Amino acid sequence: KFWESKMLKVNRAMEQLISSQTFANNHCEYNSIIDRITHNTKTIKESIVYDTEGIDESLVDFKRIFKYVDDWTGYEIMCNEILVHSSELPVSQYIVFAKKLQDSLQSKFAGKRFVIYLCVKKDFIELRFHTYRKNEGLWLNDNLNEYDNPILCFLGENEYLY
């Protein structure tokens, strides 16, 4: 099973969801989603954030933000939440989508490494990502089974995470 590799972590709920799918002829056009995310992602201070509104870095009150989040990873996760309707991204494409999004972000931001999360809600997928910082680690707890919703955490081939 691919999800038992070091590249990927899933909880039981996601494993059941993936296992129940047939993977034949279930193609989707997710490249436009990846292009939109990559195009709208930029550097703000020490973070990489998804921004469709043109954030003016000089107006961001980081002192206030860090009262609510612990670190740069928390700030990125807060900014980098994208909702995708489940009809736009079939379960059979989750892993490929996560890898291609990670590749696209790492290509745009050379030297940065990203972790991609997919959390399945009722009719949509909550997509989040953050730059991996060794001193901050991953956003979610190591035991993904603590979460009820199906969750996929794509680490990729980034040996620094293992």
Side-chain angles (χ1 to χ4, degrees):
K1 296 176 188 172
F2 185 79
W3 54 84
E4 292 177 353
S5 74
K6 287 183 175 181
M7 293 175 58
L8 181 71
K9 293 182 178 193
V10 298
N11 63 357
R12 278 195 268 326
M14 180 63 82
E15 183 176 339
Q16 290 170 350
L17 188 61
I18 292 172
S19 296
S20 71
Q21 299 299 304
T22 57
F23 287 82
N25 298 325
N26 206 353
H27 179 71
C28 71
E29 290 299 325
Y30 51 71
N31 287 331
S32 62
I33 300 169
I34 291 171
D35 291 345
R36 176 174 42 96
I37 292 169
T38 304
H39 176 76
N40 289 305
T41 302
K42 66 182 188 179
T43 302
I44 292 188
K45 202 121 173 134
E46 297 178 34
S47 60
I48 308 294
V49 299
Y50 178 72
D51 173 28
T52 58
E53 299 175 14
I55 297 171
D56 181 348
E57 183 177 334
S58 67
L59 300 176
V60 178
D61 185 352
F62 287 103
K63 188 174 180 180
R64 184 169 192 273
I65 288 170
F66 284 112
K67 289 180 181 178
Y68 300 99
V69 298
D70 294 331
D71 51 26
W72 289 107
T73 297
Y75 175 63
E76 285 182 353
I77 282 296
M78 180 180 71
C79 294
N80 300 338
E81 176 185 4
I82 299 110
L83 301 180
V84 177
H85 195 275
S86 54
S87 65
E88 294 179 85
L89 188 60
V91 174
S92 63
Q93 299 297 307
Y94 287 179
I95 297 168
V96 174
F97 173 82
K99 173 158 183 24
K100 289 190 179 220
L101 177 59
Q102 183 186 64
D103 289 347
S104 181
L105 290 169
Q106 289 177 177
S107 176
K108 180 174 181 175
F109 301 99
K112 301 281 187 185
R113 298 291 173 239
F114 293 88
V115 180
I116 311 296
Y117 299 90
L118 299 176
C119 179
V120 180
K121 306 286 178 133
K122 187 175 179 175
D123 292 327
F124 61 90
I125 299 127
E126 181 182 289
L127 162 68
R128 294 180 186 249
F129 62 91
H130 68 82
T131 307
Y132 179 76
R133 297 169 182 85
K134 190 172 185 170
N135 62 323
E136 295 180 12
L138 300 175
W139 171 52
L140 294 177
N141 294 332
D142 226 20
N143 181 5
L144 295 179
N145 289 315
E146 293 178 9
Y147 308 101
D148 294 331
N149 291 76
I151 295 176
L152 177 149
C153 172
F154 189 81
L155 306 168
E157 297 175 9
N158 298 312
E159 64 283 345
Y160 57 88
L161 289 170
Y162 314 124

